[in-house]
Amino acid sequence: MDLLISVGLPLSLAIIMLSLGVGLEVADFRRVLNRRYPFAIGAVCQVVLLPVVAFITVKLFALPPEIAVGFMILSFCPGGVTSNILSKLAKGDVALSVSLTAVISLLSMVTVPFLAAWSVNHFMGDAAPEVSIAGLAIAMFLITTLPVALGVALRSFATDFAKRIEPTLSTIATVLFILIVVAALAGNWQLFVDNLGVMGAGLISLNIALLLIGLGLARVAKLSWQESKTVSIETGIQNSTLGITLAALITATESGFSPLALPSAVYGITMYAVALPFILWFRSR
């Protein structure tokens, strides 16, 4: 189990982020400059609104400290590949989705360590493990930022090769995601069973609220329907694998899969059930 957490988990996330990078182009980053307004609305929803709504949800459901921290960690994670796929299925603005994923994923190296450290201390108090912000930032760079950058570079300088390996990397990433979620649940099975009711209700409520709030804010901001659908999905869909990995980094590997990982693991399953009705609705309009 220790080997799986200390080596397998970070390596798996790195492969998942590499698969994200291989699907990106430099133009995806440049596009932000040409579409500043819709990008700004999406970025505010992800970076500011999402954690605020998660914090309110944690308080409303009176979640146990470790589960509360897990909720907050999940809320700090960007959308990842899943949000891009769902935006495409919803007939949304895929280019905007990809640009948001690309930039927010890189920005998370700076934002997540500080926010995660604050959450741990705020909710766990004296029981909080010591969190090294510098250590988390370095880890975030190595397992998220660097693989994305390598993927983008590969796409730019070896385009044909990148396109050939992209489907294989996506398949590997999907399999690894499933294995990580199963392992995280198995490692905290009793805690999962004991808190499934309140945690499941909290996660589903948070997911629905974020999808609706993202959509509502985008419409108030007078974005197009395609852009609004994308902002909704980018606000409501998070990278649960990154959440599980962050939980493991915060609590170290000696304790097995961290209880802090439970919300991300459960969310990795429930988000599809919650997103499906929205995708069908978005496709119908």
Side-chain angles (χ1 to χ4, degrees), residues 93-132:
D93 190 325
V94 180
L96 175 61
S97 175
V98 171
S99 296
L100 281 165
T101 297
V103 175
I104 302 301
S105 291
L106 297 183
L107 181 64
S108 65
M109 182 189 75
V110 178
T111 60
V112 170
F114 288 98
L115 293 171
W118 172 83
S119 295
V120 169
N121 290 319
H122 177 80
F123 288 103
M124 298 182 70
D126 293 337
E130 185 177 349
V131 180
S132 168

Side-chain angles (χ1 to χ4, degrees), residues 45-269:
C45 283
Q46 276 199 321
V47 178
V48 179
L49 182 64
L50 206 164
V52 170
V53 176
F55 183 83
I56 294 171
T57 303
V58 164
K59 293 297 184 181
L60 286 176
F61 282 84
L63 296 170
E66 291 177 320
I67 303 299
V69 173
F71 265 66
M72 296 308 301
I73 289 174
L74 177 64
S75 75
F76 304 144
C77 299
V81 182
T82 304
S83 63
N84 302 156
I85 295 171
L86 292 181
S87 289
K88 184 175 182 179
L89 290 174
K91 298 181 180 179
D93 190 325
V94 180
L96 175 61
S97 175
V98 171
S99 296
L100 281 165
T101 297
V103 175
I104 302 301
S105 291
L106 297 183
L107 181 64
S108 65
M109 182 189 75
V110 178
T111 60
V112 170
F114 288 98
L115 293 171
W118 172 83
S119 295
V120 169
N121 290 319
H122 177 80
F123 288 103
M124 298 182 70
D126 293 337
E130 185 177 349
V131 180
S132 168
I133 294 177
L136 270 184
I138 293 171
M140 287 284 293
F141 172 77
L142 292 176
I143 61 181
T144 60
T145 306
L146 183 59
V148 170
L150 290 174
V152 173
L154 191 63
R155 182 83 174 200
S156 298
F157 298 106
T159 306
D160 292 339
F161 175 69
K163 288 180 178 179
R164 283 200 304 272
I165 67 170
E166 185 177 359
T168 302
L169 280 176
S170 297
T171 301
I172 293 173
T174 302
V175 172
L176 289 173
F177 165 74
I178 294 171
L179 292 175
I180 289 169
V181 168
V182 170
L185 291 176
N188 296 277
W189 185 252
Q190 192 56 51
L191 188 62
F192 164 67
V193 172
D194 292 343
N195 292 278
L196 179 58
V198 65
M199 182 169 56
L203 285 170
I204 291 172
S205 298
L206 176 63
N207 206 175
I208 293 173
L210 289 170
L211 287 164
L212 290 174
I213 292 171
L215 180 65
L217 186 60
R219 299 308 283 165
V220 169
K222 300 188 185 308
L223 298 188
S224 71
W225 179 234
Q226 271 194 317
E227 292 169 339
S228 298
K229 289 190 285 188
T230 293
V231 170
S232 172
I233 291 169
E234 288 293 328
T235 306
I237 301 299
Q238 279 69 59
N239 185 344
S240 57
T241 310
L242 177 56
I244 295 172
T245 307
L246 280 171
L249 291 172
I250 289 170
T251 56
T253 60
E254 289 79 7
S255 57
F257 267 100
S258 170
L260 276 59
L262 267 184
S264 292
V266 176
Y267 174 84
I269 300 169

